[in-house]
Amino acid sequence: SASVLTSPWRKDFPTLQTQVYDKSLVYLDSAATAQTPTAVIERMNQFYHHEYASVHRGVHKLSANATENLEFVRSKVADFIGASAAYRQHSPESSATKGLIFTKGTTEAINLVANSYLAHNVQAGDEIIITEMEHHANIVPWQMLAERLGLIIKVWRLNAQHELDEQALQQLITQRTKLLAITHVSNVLGTVNPIKSFIEIAHQADVAVLVDGAQAVMHQRIDVHELDCDFYVFSAHKLYGPTGVGALYVKPNRLSQMQPWEGGGAMIEQVRLPTGTGFTQAPWCFEAGTPNIAGILGFGAAIDYLTSIGLVEIEKHESSLMRSLLKGLQDIDGIEIYGSSSLPTIGVVSFNLNGLHAFDVGAFLDRYGIAIRTGHLCAMPLLKTLGQSSVCRVSLGLYTDQHDVDQLIEGLCRIQGLFGERK
Ligand code: PMP
């Protein structure tokens, strides 16, 4: 119904009022970065206006407050993804904040796991499994580590339905497999991978699993305890928070297998010359240097915002919009939509119009005030499998409504019309 497809939360996002070429902005690029609500912007403003100070070092009041506020966000993020339950089960006294490390985003979190965890738990000749569906952020750090340590990268290919199937995983795992790195939701296809069963298979063979949640956390409730993943990573800017901040969740039993990666201030217990420095405990030993304090506070405000709406409500809104979007796209002549038809799709859809380069489609839509993403989407291997060098990607957020979808479909039909007449 019309009321369901109008977003009651749209008004919370000031950038959505922006005019582009005298047209109202139709923002369909939330998977690249989601718009920020006023509550998040205000929280960061508040910090810079009234609370600004560094953390962890000062005895003075502002510093103590900033530290307390930052650490409070840590527990909020841990609760948001169900980490607290995992830690409670591990030991009643242990707190999930130990295993919740702030990073600058998904990319840094994956690099951290490569260098802090995997590098210390492998020998030359050991194997890492990555999938053909990964974002470059979940490919390149493993390749760099493999190059350095003589590890072998094995690729879990998609089947003919463009899905990852369990049998292929079973066949790839050997005695030497040490890690599976897999995306929860594809940033190109929107496919929601059935990662819980993949994790079970990996664990049966004693393989640790890193889940890239960059495209998952804003669309559905994540429970790392239930998933039983070893590492879960995501970025704040895709869940309506600021850029430059993200999180890494580490399962309790993996923490003791990790060594600090970056060295510097805030991560030490004591420093001696010329050697003999000792590190502090998790999570701080993985957070060298002054953190992005305002960003972390904004991250917390984004989680408060999402929690106040409720992820179930968001999922309901987005899934009805997605149905409408897919139906609209399927009705366009000469469109090719990529991805699985049997697995659920969340937030994202990619396509090409017959005979038109994705870049041209994107450039025309831009002139109509419609923002989409085009190109290889940081997933060159997946695009190669799709037989494409570039695609158009449309992605939804909680503020997207039927009007946005209608404008897109109308725009695409206009582009088809323009080029159709010339043929
Ligand atoms: N993984 C996936 C699936 C993504 O979509 C993205 C962002 N496009 C990343 C990783 C990298 O995130 P960031 O650039 O915020 O580090």
Side-chain angles (χ1 to χ4, degrees), residues 31 105-107 135 137 183 185 187 212 214-215 235 237-238:
T106 305
T107 304
H135 185 280
T183 195
V185 172
N187 70 311
D212 175 351
Q215 296 294 348
S235 302
H237 72 100
K238 297 193 199 260

mmCIF file of all heavy atoms in Angstrom, residues 31 105-107 135 137 183 185 187 212 214-215 235 237-238, ligand 1:
data_model
loop_
_atom_site.group_PDB
_atom_site.id
_atom_site.type_symbol
_atom_site.label_atom_id
_atom_site.label_comp_id
_atom_site.label_asym_id
_atom_site.label_seq_id
_atom_site.Cartn_x
_atom_site.Cartn_y
_atom_site.Cartn_z
ATOM 1 N N ALA A 31 24.320 1.783 -0.739
ATOM 2 C CA ALA A 31 25.289 0.709 -0.496
ATOM 3 C C ALA A 31 26.719 1.235 -0.564
ATOM 4 O O ALA A 31 27.627 0.660 0.024
ATOM 5 C CB ALA A 31 25.103 -0.420 -1.500
ATOM 6 N N GLY A 105 37.143 1.235 9.360
ATOM 7 C CA GLY A 105 36.077 0.703 8.518
ATOM 8 C C GLY A 105 36.278 -0.772 8.273
ATOM 9 O O GLY A 105 37.167 -1.402 8.856
ATOM 10 N N THR A 106 35.466 -1.306 7.389
ATOM 11 C CA THR A 106 35.538 -2.726 7.038
ATOM 12 C C THR A 106 36.933 -3.079 6.527
ATOM 13 O O THR A 106 37.519 -4.091 6.922
ATOM 14 C CB THR A 106 34.501 -3.027 5.934
ATOM 15 O OG1 THR A 106 33.221 -2.599 6.393
ATOM 16 C CG2 THR A 106 34.459 -4.497 5.607
ATOM 17 N N THR A 107 37.446 -2.251 5.635
ATOM 18 C CA THR A 107 38.741 -2.528 5.014
ATOM 19 C C THR A 107 39.830 -2.683 6.060
ATOM 20 O O THR A 107 40.590 -3.657 6.055
ATOM 21 C CB THR A 107 39.101 -1.383 4.042
ATOM 22 O OG1 THR A 107 38.034 -1.246 3.107
ATOM 23 C CG2 THR A 107 40.405 -1.649 3.326
ATOM 24 N N HIS A 135 34.059 -8.336 -2.249
ATOM 25 C CA HIS A 135 34.527 -6.971 -2.490
ATOM 26 C C HIS A 135 36.060 -7.012 -2.445
ATOM 27 O O HIS A 135 36.637 -7.848 -1.745
ATOM 28 C CB HIS A 135 33.987 -6.097 -1.353
ATOM 29 C CG HIS A 135 34.253 -4.630 -1.490
ATOM 30 N ND1 HIS A 135 35.470 -4.068 -1.165
ATOM 31 C CD2 HIS A 135 33.461 -3.608 -1.886
ATOM 32 C CE1 HIS A 135 35.401 -2.755 -1.358
ATOM 33 N NE2 HIS A 135 34.196 -2.449 -1.807
ATOM 34 N N ALA A 137 38.040 -5.438 -0.842
ATOM 35 C CA ALA A 137 38.514 -5.338 0.552
ATOM 36 C C ALA A 137 38.652 -6.702 1.211
ATOM 37 O O ALA A 137 39.408 -6.859 2.180
ATOM 38 C CB ALA A 137 37.559 -4.467 1.376
ATOM 39 N N THR A 183 31.606 -12.818 2.292
ATOM 40 C CA THR A 183 30.696 -11.703 2.525
ATOM 41 C C THR A 183 29.325 -12.220 2.951
ATOM 42 O O THR A 183 28.875 -13.262 2.489
ATOM 43 C CB THR A 183 30.586 -10.812 1.267
ATOM 44 O OG1 THR A 183 29.995 -9.573 1.644
ATOM 45 C CG2 THR A 183 29.753 -11.447 0.160
ATOM 46 N N VAL A 185 26.440 -10.307 2.691
ATOM 47 C CA VAL A 185 25.553 -9.875 1.605
ATOM 48 C C VAL A 185 26.436 -9.329 0.486
ATOM 49 O O VAL A 185 27.334 -8.516 0.738
ATOM 50 C CB VAL A 185 24.583 -8.773 2.090
ATOM 51 C CG1 VAL A 185 23.802 -8.171 0.924
ATOM 52 C CG2 VAL A 185 23.628 -9.319 3.149
ATOM 53 N N ASN A 187 27.745 -7.041 -2.339
ATOM 54 C CA ASN A 187 27.550 -5.620 -2.649
ATOM 55 C C ASN A 187 27.170 -5.405 -4.120
ATOM 56 O O ASN A 187 26.857 -4.291 -4.512
ATOM 57 C CB ASN A 187 28.801 -4.793 -2.306
ATOM 58 C CG ASN A 187 29.957 -5.072 -3.245
ATOM 59 O OD1 ASN A 187 30.291 -6.227 -3.483
ATOM 60 N ND2 ASN A 187 30.560 -4.033 -3.786
ATOM 61 N N ASP A 212 32.291 -10.640 6.199
ATOM 62 C CA ASP A 212 32.246 -9.232 5.819
ATOM 63 C C ASP A 212 30.776 -8.798 5.854
ATOM 64 O O ASP A 212 29.982 -9.148 4.985
ATOM 65 C CB ASP A 212 32.845 -9.091 4.410
ATOM 66 C CG ASP A 212 32.720 -7.666 3.868
ATOM 67 O OD1 ASP A 212 32.035 -6.836 4.486
ATOM 68 O OD2 ASP A 212 33.309 -7.401 2.789
ATOM 69 N N ALA A 214 29.653 -5.673 5.732
ATOM 70 C CA ALA A 214 29.491 -4.276 5.302
ATOM 71 C C ALA A 214 28.124 -4.008 4.669
ATOM 72 O O ALA A 214 27.569 -2.928 4.842
ATOM 73 C CB ALA A 214 30.601 -3.887 4.322
ATOM 74 N N GLN A 215 27.574 -4.988 3.948
ATOM 75 C CA GLN A 215 26.285 -4.773 3.281
ATOM 76 C C GLN A 215 25.137 -5.466 4.011
ATOM 77 O O GLN A 215 24.030 -5.564 3.472
ATOM 78 C CB GLN A 215 26.337 -5.275 1.827
ATOM 79 C CG GLN A 215 27.307 -4.533 0.942
ATOM 80 C CD GLN A 215 26.914 -3.079 0.706
ATOM 81 O OE1 GLN A 215 25.796 -2.637 1.005
ATOM 82 N NE2 GLN A 215 27.842 -2.307 0.176
ATOM 83 N N SER A 235 31.269 -1.305 8.508
ATOM 84 C CA SER A 235 31.600 0.126 8.507
ATOM 85 C C SER A 235 30.412 0.943 8.994
ATOM 86 O O SER A 235 29.270 0.659 8.621
ATOM 87 C CB SER A 235 31.902 0.606 7.083
ATOM 88 O OG SER A 235 32.963 -0.116 6.516
ATOM 89 N N HIS A 237 29.664 3.990 8.122
ATOM 90 C CA HIS A 237 29.056 4.881 7.114
ATOM 91 C C HIS A 237 28.007 4.193 6.261
ATOM 92 O O HIS A 237 27.257 4.857 5.565
ATOM 93 C CB HIS A 237 30.137 5.525 6.225
ATOM 94 C CG HIS A 237 30.801 4.595 5.259
ATOM 95 N ND1 HIS A 237 30.445 4.536 3.940
ATOM 96 C CD2 HIS A 237 31.807 3.695 5.411
ATOM 97 C CE1 HIS A 237 31.220 3.633 3.315
ATOM 98 N NE2 HIS A 237 32.045 3.122 4.198
ATOM 99 N N LYS A 238 27.950 2.874 6.318
ATOM 100 C CA LYS A 238 26.901 2.192 5.576
ATOM 101 C C LYS A 238 25.677 1.970 6.455
ATOM 102 O O LYS A 238 24.642 1.517 5.992
ATOM 103 C CB LYS A 238 27.406 0.876 5.010
ATOM 104 C CG LYS A 238 28.536 1.109 3.998
ATOM 105 C CD LYS A 238 28.875 -0.093 3.190
ATOM 106 C CE LYS A 238 30.239 0.031 2.561
ATOM 107 N NZ LYS A 238 30.170 0.440 1.161
HETATM 108 N N1 PMP B 1 32.932 -5.106 1.810
HETATM 109 C C1 PMP B 1 31.788 -4.842 1.188
HETATM 110 C C2 PMP B 1 30.838 -5.964 0.890
HETATM 111 C C3 PMP B 1 31.490 -3.520 0.821
HETATM 112 O O1 PMP B 1 30.352 -3.258 0.186
HETATM 113 C C4 PMP B 1 32.403 -2.482 1.149
HETATM 114 C C5 PMP B 1 32.133 -1.037 0.779
HETATM 115 N N2 PMP B 1 31.698 -0.838 -0.521
HETATM 116 C C6 PMP B 1 33.580 -2.825 1.803
HETATM 117 C C7 PMP B 1 33.810 -4.129 2.121
HETATM 118 C C8 PMP B 1 34.611 -1.797 2.173
HETATM 119 O O2 PMP B 1 34.099 -0.927 3.136
HETATM 120 P P1 PMP B 1 34.918 0.386 3.553
HETATM 121 O O3 PMP B 1 35.264 1.063 2.277
HETATM 122 O O4 PMP B 1 33.931 1.158 4.369
HETATM 123 O O5 PMP B 1 36.107 -0.045 4.308
#
